[in-house]
Amino acid sequence: MLITSMFSLKYINVAMVTVLKNVTNVITAVGEMYLFSKHHEGRVWAALFLMIISAITGGITDLSFNATGYVWQTLNCFLTASYSLTLRRVMDTAKQYTKSGNLNEFTMVLLNNTLSLPLGIFLMLVFNEVDYLLRTPLLRLPSFWLVMTFSGVLGLAISFTSMWFLHQTGATTYSLVGSLNKIPLSVAGILLFKVPTSLENSASILFGLLAGVLFARAKIRERSQS
């Protein structure tokens, strides 16, 4: 999930990535319907449909369209949805096979990061990053260690809060909350990186972001009614 996200950002601007990530909500909602027999009301599906339309129109009007980047982002959407659904399944399974009835957030973060180590080591060997790591002068810079430590703390915080959030809600709700931070992220991405855009593309991005907000409101109403 993280690797495909990095590769997609290499080819696609931040604003388009945030809009295309809305497709993850659609995949997650469908997955919850089939895996957990969870049904969503009409407003939720209407918002999801608007997200799909915004992703399509955004791709058509993207001045910096890159097919490779869109392939990576499509893979990322499926992998992100799979990640959310798998975590939800693991938590439900833990209720049946553990004495306490659940796995706490610290245990989930520990297991999640430990299981990712083999893949990380494999990729380091494939891309010959071990040799680079031994020769790079960055390891002698205090600022490098400060930034890397800060990044690690943020990563741990993201993992912990993600696990806690999934414990309290569902995979679809977990995905939709990410939709709310996309508005400032998209604007910042366009301004900071001076992304070439057109009126049509900007409109499609705004349309997608508003669809994400509508989706959040529909899910909140659905949750309050249930």
Side-chain angles (χ1 to χ4, degrees):
M1 180 182 69
L2 294 174
I3 292 168
T4 53
S5 177
M6 292 176 186
F7 275 108
S8 66
L9 280 170
K10 182 179 179 181
Y11 299 100
I12 310 177
N13 64 72
V14 175
M16 280 308 305
V17 166
T18 55
V19 171
L20 293 171
K21 277 183 177 292
N22 281 333
V23 179
T24 302
N25 295 330
V26 181
I27 301 171
T28 304
V30 174
E32 277 197 322
M33 187 174 63
Y34 284 102
L35 295 176
F36 305 107
S37 301
K38 186 173 183 178
H39 298 283
H40 305 287
E41 63 178 25
R43 292 187 186 90
V44 174
W45 290 112
L48 290 172
F49 178 73
L50 293 177
M51 289 179 180
I52 296 175
I53 296 299
S54 70
I56 295 173
T57 55
I60 294 174
T61 58
D62 187 3
L63 296 180
S64 56
F65 178 85
N66 186 291
T68 303
Y70 275 74
V71 170
W72 281 115
Q73 185 53 49
T74 301
L75 288 173
N76 178 258
C77 290
F78 279 97
L79 291 170
T80 303
S82 300
Y83 177 74
S84 301
L85 294 169
T86 302
L87 280 179
R88 187 75 235 179
R89 174 67 74 183
V90 169
M91 290 174 182
D92 291 343
T93 304
K95 293 178 182 178
Q96 304 173 17
Y97 295 100
T98 57
K99 293 182 180 180
S100 61
N102 65 353
L103 292 174
N104 62 48
E105 289 79 7
F106 288 108
T107 304
M108 289 293 293
V109 170
L110 177 63
L111 290 172
N112 195 47
N113 290 331
T114 302
L115 290 171
S116 68
L117 283 176
L119 177 62
I121 294 172
F122 172 75
L123 292 174
M124 285 176 63
L125 295 174
V126 169
F127 293 102
N128 196 29
E129 292 189 357
V130 177
D131 182 57
Y132 170 77
L133 188 64
L134 295 174
R135 292 185 293 105
T136 180
L138 291 174
L139 296 180
R140 294 188 290 272
L141 295 176
S143 58
F144 172 77
W145 286 105
L146 179 64
V147 171
M148 288 303 297
T149 302
F150 183 64
S151 175
V153 171
L154 287 179
L156 179 64
I158 291 172
S159 297
F160 180 78
T161 52
S162 296
M163 302 300 177
W164 178 85
F165 197 88
L166 276 169
H167 263 300
Q168 306 301 318
T169 61
T172 303
T173 310
Y174 170 77
S175 295
L176 73 86
V177 170
S179 301
L180 298 178
N181 67 7
K182 290 175 181 176
I183 295 177
L185 183 61
S186 296
V187 174
I190 292 174
L191 296 177
L192 289 175
F193 299 104
K194 299 178 181 180
V195 177
T197 184
S198 63
L199 179 61
E200 293 83 1
N201 187 242
S202 298
S204 66
I205 292 172
L206 179 61
F207 184 71
L209 297 174
L210 291 176
V213 174
L214 291 175
F215 182 48
R217 291 190 62 183
K219 283 296 297 181
I220 291 172
R221 181 175 295 184
E222 181 185 65
R223 185 174 176 82
S224 62
Q225 290 177 348
S226 61

